Amino acid sequence: MGKGGGCVPSKKRQPSSAEGSATATATTATNNAPIEADEETHETASVAVNPTNAQSVTATLKIFIVYYSMYGHVEKLAKRMKKGVDCVEGVEAVLYRVPETLPADVLDHMKVPSKNPEVPEIKAAELAQADGVLFGFPTRFGCMAAQMKAFFDSSGQLWKEQTLAGKPAGFFVSTGTQGGGQEATAWTAITQLAHHGMLFVPIGYTFGAGMFKMDSIRGGSPYGAGVYAGDGTREPTETELGLAEHQGKYMAGVVKRLCQA
């Protein structure tokens, strides 16, 4: 024990004769007592400690799936990703969407459908409650959409206090074409995690054979799940959705191992 540990008696110090007599007297008195003092203390301590231990074992870990979706492609990946997280015991996914930044008349002109009212908007400060985060967004010239960037820009207080440092996080994306940024969009987003001290968790090639399929167009990369939106009418394929589900399950496993370490 370092400085300030003077309350711990030295093991080398031998008890004086007076102390020895006092100890012997105390031992005799204790032996004659109907209930030993130590026994009673241990019983009381175990009652106080056990509920806390039980609570920590049964606590549910939370993974926030935070996304921006204009035409629904990213949202479809997010919902399937939640299914993957929820299948891991002791871990639960919560869906959130970031606030829209475009005015209503612009959204109407672009024929953007209404947002899902069942998925609440999130404020940056709420990220502190998560054990891990998966961020989803469409690409804009190889970078995240402005709506997601605005959300990260609102996290200044969390950055200042390094509240998110050490939290695992991952990405999933949507692009219009095969060369539209399936890897670059996630890659350029890593800077946001780096400044917060978050741990980037890519999926690598853990999806197995599904990562090597060449018989059909498929979004996604070692950085995370992905979907090709085309002109907006293309729907996610089962392979793309399956990769999203896998990423959710994989992330849940990583978060669980980190929290149990």
Side-chain angles (χ1 to χ4, degrees):
M1 193 165 191
K3 294 181 179 179
C7 60
V8 179
S10 171
K11 294 181 179 179
K12 296 180 180 179
R13 180 173 173 269
Q14 299 298 322
S16 64
S17 57
E19 288 175 335
S21 300
T23 302
T25 304
T27 302
T28 303
T30 303
N31 290 339
N32 293 334
I35 299 177
E36 292 188 10
D38 283 348
E39 189 177 10
E40 186 175 10
T41 303
H42 292 166
E43 187 177 349
T44 304
S46 66
V47 172
V49 172
N50 284 343
T52 306
N53 290 341
Q55 227 176 17
S56 63
V57 170
T58 58
T60 300
L61 300 173
K62 301 283 187 182
I63 292 181
F64 286 7
I65 300 178
V66 181
Y67 67 89
Y68 174 75
S69 187
M70 179 169 280
Y71 293 106
H73 296 80
V74 174
E75 184 174 70
K76 287 182 174 69
L77 293 185
K79 289 181 176 180
R80 190 65 172 264
M81 200 166 285
K82 174 176 168 55
K83 180 180 178 182
V85 173
D86 291 344
C87 77
V88 176
E89 184 179 0
V91 189
E92 177 187 5
V94 185
L95 293 174
Y96 289 105
R97 53 188 173 87
V98 302
E100 179 61 77
T101 58
L102 292 175
D105 59 332
V106 173
L107 294 172
D108 289 341
H109 181 73
M110 296 174 68
K111 296 180 172 54
V112 176
S114 301
K115 306 300 182 187
N116 186 348
E118 296 180 0
V119 180
E121 283 190 357
I122 187 173
K123 296 183 184 301
E126 295 178 77
L127 291 177
Q129 303 168 18
D131 297 294
V133 189
L134 288 163
F135 296 100
F137 38 82
T139 188
R140 296 293 183 267
F141 303 110
C143 299
M144 65 175 63
Q147 290 85 345
M148 182 60 74
K149 183 59 170 65
F151 175 75
F152 274 108
D153 288 348
S154 71
S155 65
Q157 189 63 33
L158 296 176
W159 163 79
K160 181 179 178 181
E161 299 171 357
Q162 285 295 283
T163 305
L164 305 181
K167 287 185 187 291
F171 300 125
F172 56 104
V173 303
S174 170
T175 67
T177 63
Q178 293 184 61
Q182 284 285 316
E183 292 190 352
T185 306
W187 181 65
T188 53
I190 293 175
T191 57
Q192 311 299 312
L193 305 186
H195 283 265
H196 277 288
M198 301 182 81
L199 309 177
F200 175 51
V201 181
I203 58 173
Y205 283 82
T206 58
F207 193 45
M211 296 292 288
F212 298 93
K213 282 190 174 182
M214 299 289 289
D215 56 346
S216 62
I217 296 175
R218 172 190 60 79
S221 73
Y223 290 90
V227 59
Y228 289 122
D231 61 359
T233 59
R234 181 183 184 273
E235 291 294 317
T237 65
E238 185 55 38
T239 301
E240 290 169 333
L241 293 171
L243 181 55
E245 183 175 341
H246 168 75
Q247 183 173 4
K249 185 176 181 179
Y250 180 77
M251 185 65 164
V254 170
V255 169
K256 192 172 182 179
R257 287 195 297 274
L258 286 174
C259 291
Q260 290 175 344

